[in-house]
Amino acid sequence: MLVRFADAVRNAMANRGLSMRATAKEAHFDVAYLSRVLNGRQDPSATLALALDSVLGTDGALASLLEQESEERASDAAEHIRTSLAPLLHHDREFGADHVVDAAVQVWKSAVRDMPMDDRSYVAATAEAAEVAGWLLHEACRPDAARAALLEALMLAQTARDQGMEHFCLDLLAMAAVTAERPGEAMALADRLLTVPRVPHRVALMARVRQARALAITGDLTRASAVMERANGALQDSGSDRDPMWTWWIDEAEIAVHQGMLLVDAGDAPAALPHLQSGLDRSLHSSPRNSRRKSYASVLAEAAALAGAWRDTESIIVDHLGPLPYVTTTRTQLRIRRMLRVIDRDGPSWLKDTAHSLLPQ
């Protein structure tokens, strides 16, 4: 309810000695509509505010108050959306996506339902809600729903003219395309980012990572390695104040893991192991996030199993995967199940016993 607006209208009506019915008649609005506005059951339009200013002689004060109060309410609503997302993101960092993904979708859908398209701050917050839902849906291995959420987030970010969020959505869409093994789509999205005038440093870096992963899927390991090396070299340059906030997680650990995953994509698991181990080791020093640790460890464990490095596989299970049974993200669990299938098919019996006793089935 726009309380100050309603109170100001009532005071102006009293000063003029006009009833609600008489005011509505002179303003050429239905009295039932005016009643709903003054009792908080419907928002007033700008046209109503201008008409009331004319009838009540308030010289534009009501229209100005409506604009001010609407902006304040929208700002509060946008902050409420972000406040609702914060504990979901914290849970994802510590325990994984699976238990909070539906709540994130609910926040996003609720924000869309109530969204005034002419309020950029609210639209930007709704874009953020859609992006968070898309990320968590991706981690929960619900690819169609994730893609739909990220596409809506992209559209809303463009509407709000929030370029940082627009770049983030394009990056996540490219990531999802790599995961789904759609290299052409991933390359097109990465190219779109790289052709942005004065693209921020770390946005371009991640676009090249997506390019490299897509090239590896096509079998072009030479070009993939060259592009990844360029991205890795760019990481050594300092970031700039033009880099959006979402790029905080792009660090040496993340790039090392992508270098390893590139080699796994290309079918060379043994060559991937040093990069993946480096990424996991770096993450233990740079980030306390349990979900990140388990994700990196699951990638390394699967690669070690594919490479037939059984002792390494055992160490990763014992040191990193077994101690974190409460971290539940479907994508990580799928990697673990794939690793278990490799162990069951090719591994020694002692490793089968260890793996199945420590890891959730």
Side-chain angles (χ1 to χ4, degrees):
M1 178 178 179
L2 301 177
V3 177
R4 299 203 308 274
F5 177 84
D7 288 347
V9 172
R10 286 195 176 94
N11 289 337
M13 286 165 50
N15 290 337
R16 287 289 220 182
L18 291 174
S19 67
M20 186 184 302
R21 186 174 298 278
T23 301
K25 183 177 180 180
E26 288 197 35
H28 304 292
F29 276 88
D30 183 71
V31 66
Y33 171 47
L34 182 58
S35 174
R36 290 194 299 273
V37 166
L38 297 184
N39 287 288
R41 294 194 299 273
Q42 187 170 347
D43 285 344
S45 66
T47 304
L48 173 65
L50 290 170
L52 291 173
D53 272 326
S54 177
V55 169
L56 300 174
T58 44
D59 195 27
L62 294 175
S64 178
L65 180 59
L66 172 60
E67 182 179 2
Q68 178 185 350
E69 198 170 6
S70 296
E71 288 176 356
E72 290 172 358
R73 184 176 68 174
S75 178
D76 290 343
E79 184 59 29
H80 176 70
I81 293 171
R82 295 188 170 99
T83 301
S84 299
L85 295 173
L88 306 182
L89 290 169
H90 176 75
H91 190 287
D92 172 51
R93 286 192 293 270
E94 291 299 315
F95 308 111
D98 286 7
H99 294 303
V100 293
V101 59
D102 290 330
V105 170
Q106 189 174 31
V107 172
W108 159 41
K109 295 292 187 181
S110 176
V112 169
R113 183 193 62 213
D114 299 332
M115 181 172 57
M117 289 300 292
D118 59 345
D119 190 300
R120 285 176 55 188
S121 66
Y122 190 98
V123 175
T126 306
E128 188 173 336
E131 173 271 313
V132 170
W135 160 254
L136 295 177
L137 286 163
H138 176 266
E139 288 298 283
C141 292
R142 290 152 65 175
D144 292 341
R147 190 168 187 272
L150 292 172
L151 285 171
E152 180 159 317
L154 176 62
M155 180 272 292
L156 292 170
Q158 291 169 335
T159 300
R161 298 198 287 280
D162 184 342
Q163 193 171 57
M165 181 56 63
E166 181 181 349
H167 293 162
F168 196 10
C169 294
L170 288 169
D171 176 70
L172 291 179
L173 284 164
M175 172 200 69
V178 168
T179 302
E181 297 189 346
R182 296 194 299 268
E185 180 181 336
M187 290 286 289
L189 288 162
D191 288 344
R192 183 171 168 183
L193 280 169
L194 289 169
T195 55
V196 172
R198 299 182 68 243
V199 61
H201 173 83
R202 295 213 162 188
V203 174
L205 187 158
M206 280 311 298
R208 292 192 174 93
V209 169
R210 308 304 183 198
Q211 274 187 333
R213 294 286 307 280
L215 287 166
I217 292 171
T218 68
D220 192 345
L221 185 57
T222 300
R223 285 181 62 203
S225 298
V227 173
M228 186 63 79
E229 281 301 316
R230 184 176 179 186
N232 192 39
L235 183 65
Q236 309 312 314
D237 299 334
S238 61
S240 75
D241 56 7
R242 294 180 52 248
D243 289 322
M245 289 182 61
W246 61 264
T247 60
W248 66 266
W249 51 267
I250 302 169
D251 57 14
E252 291 178 334
E254 182 76 11
I255 300 303
V257 168
H258 277 292
Q259 285 182 300
M261 294 177 76
L262 179 153
L263 291 165
V264 172
D265 292 340
D268 194 352
L273 296 182
H275 298 289
L276 296 175
Q277 185 67 61
S278 173
L280 177 59
D281 291 344
R282 290 175 184 276
S283 74
L284 297 178
H285 293 98
S286 65
S287 173
R289 291 170 54 196
N290 285 322
S291 62
R292 189 187 202 194
R293 171 185 168 188
K294 191 164 186 178
S295 175
Y296 287 1
S298 69
V299 174
L300 176 57
E302 183 181 12
L306 289 169
W310 306 122
R311 289 296 178 187
D312 290 340
T313 306
E314 179 191 34
S315 295
I316 300 159
I317 292 171
V318 171
D319 295 340
H320 300 291
L321 295 179
L324 296 173
Y326 53 84
V327 178
T328 52
T329 293
T330 299
R331 186 161 306 286
T332 299
Q333 299 301 333
L334 284 176
R335 290 194 199 102
I336 291 173
R337 286 199 287 271
R338 289 198 302 262
M339 176 198 64
L340 288 172
R341 286 198 294 270
V342 174
I343 292 172
D344 288 340
R345 185 187 67 222
D346 303 326
S349 59
W350 55 264
L351 180 56
K352 295 175 187 177
D353 294 340
T354 300
H356 284 283
S357 65
L358 290 178
L359 297 176
Q361 307 301 305

